[in-house]
Amino acid sequence: IRNDTKNIEKQTDNIPVQLQLALTADEIAPAPNLLLRSNLFSASRTHGALSDAIRDYKITTYGDKAEVSLTAFRQFNQLDLDLLFELIKFQQEQKTLLVKVTLYEIVKNTKGSGEGKASYLQIKEQLELLQNASIKIKHGRYSFIGSILSSAYFDDVDHIYVIRFNEDLQPLFSNNNWTGIDTNIRRQLKTNLAKWLHGFYSTHLNSHIPIKLETIYNLSGATDKDMARWIRVRI
């Protein structure tokens, strides 16, 4: 794997920049609204509404303009979105489909500290999920089926990752389809629901837009059985 990683580095300069994301401010990560206005990345209290494998799991989206479903060995959660935001920022800086990053950099940016075996295994599992999970987006007669990451290479000795984004996701970052997320604010939020709400309302210029709490309950992927208590205690 170490030799493969070196070969990948040599090839990087020859790869066309097909997923060139415009640079944003240091703490701002561009994120597709689809990720922020749905339960694709669950806000469940248990870091994932579904911890078992899912197939064609229907994703609730705001406005229901498209049908979205997920097939994966578990559902995405807000920790996975934290990681994805950091990978997107690295992609902006490195300006290539292939992103080279160390475990230390990932842990430092997502957790602040704590490089150890547990962190290593968690990050690796999350990267496998982002590469392995299949997202289906159906709009009218057309459908897209693919993953967020095309591939991920691991160096288990030096803890270096070389990650390739799926260039077919480019339309999700075009026009008004994305929002800049302040990751500095996000890191200060303590719960998955707080992170989800921050992301959701960041996609609206008018933060006072009237939305039913029942709608937020469904969009966020909440798993609390008592919605009235969820509203009273958590919201």
Side-chain angles (χ1 to χ4, degrees), residues 22-194:
L23 282 174
T24 52
D26 289 344
E27 297 298 333
I28 303 298
N33 290 336
L34 177 64
L35 275 58
L36 305 172
R37 294 177 175 177
S38 72
N39 65 337
L40 183 60
F41 287 83
S42 170
S44 168
R45 183 167 46 190
T46 56
H47 297 321
L50 299 174
S51 57
D52 297 326
I54 52 178
R55 181 175 180 82
D56 290 329
Y57 177 72
K58 184 179 179 180
I59 300 300
T60 304
T61 59
Y62 183 68
D64 293 324
K65 293 182 179 179
E67 298 176 25
V68 182
S69 60
L70 177 67
T71 297
F73 58 76
R74 68 163 172 79
Q75 188 178 2
F76 292 131
N77 58 51
Q78 288 294 304
L79 294 180
D80 300 321
L81 191 54
D82 286 338
L83 173 60
L84 181 57
F85 283 157
E86 294 307 322
L87 295 179
I88 289 174
K89 287 165 63 179
F90 282 120
Q91 198 277 341
Q92 286 182 291
E93 296 170 1
Q94 298 181 23
K95 301 179 182 180
T96 175
L97 282 176
L98 287 179
V99 177
K100 179 183 177 183
V101 60
T102 65
L103 173 65
Y104 174 78
E105 290 174 303
I106 292 176
V107 173
K108 178 183 177 181
N109 288 1
T110 56
K111 298 182 178 181
S113 62
E115 182 183 14
K117 184 176 181 180
S119 296
Y120 169 74
L121 293 176
Q122 177 187 327
I123 296 298
K124 190 171 183 179
E125 188 258 6
Q126 290 178 275
L127 288 172
E128 290 177 357
L129 178 66
L130 292 173
Q131 188 281 320
N132 181 267
S134 176
I135 302 172
K136 180 188 294 184
I137 305 173
K138 186 178 187 303
H139 193 281
R141 61 186 287 188
Y142 301 106
S143 297
F144 163 84
I145 303 176
S147 59
I148 295 176
L149 303 180
S150 292
S151 61
Y153 296 83
F154 305 105
D155 182 331
D156 289 331
V157 176
D158 293 334
H159 293 177
I160 295 174
Y161 302 98
V162 180
I163 299 157
R164 177 190 285 269
F165 275 88
N166 184 351
E167 60 267 36
D168 292 331
L169 296 178
Q170 177 70 52
L172 295 181
F173 290 93
S174 63
N175 302 322
N176 297 321
N177 294 328
W178 63 276
T179 296
I181 296 298
D182 190 324
T183 55
N184 185 48
I185 291 178
R186 184 177 170 89
R187 278 192 289 267
Q188 297 177 52
L189 302 177
K190 303 302 182 182
T191 68
N192 293 329
L193 181 57

Side-chain angles (χ1 to χ4, degrees), residues 9-21:
E9 293 173 18
K10 294 178 181 178
Q11 298 171 14
T12 299
D13 292 336
N14 298 321
I15 294 177
V17 182
Q18 298 172 340
L19 190 64
Q20 179 67 53
L21 303 182

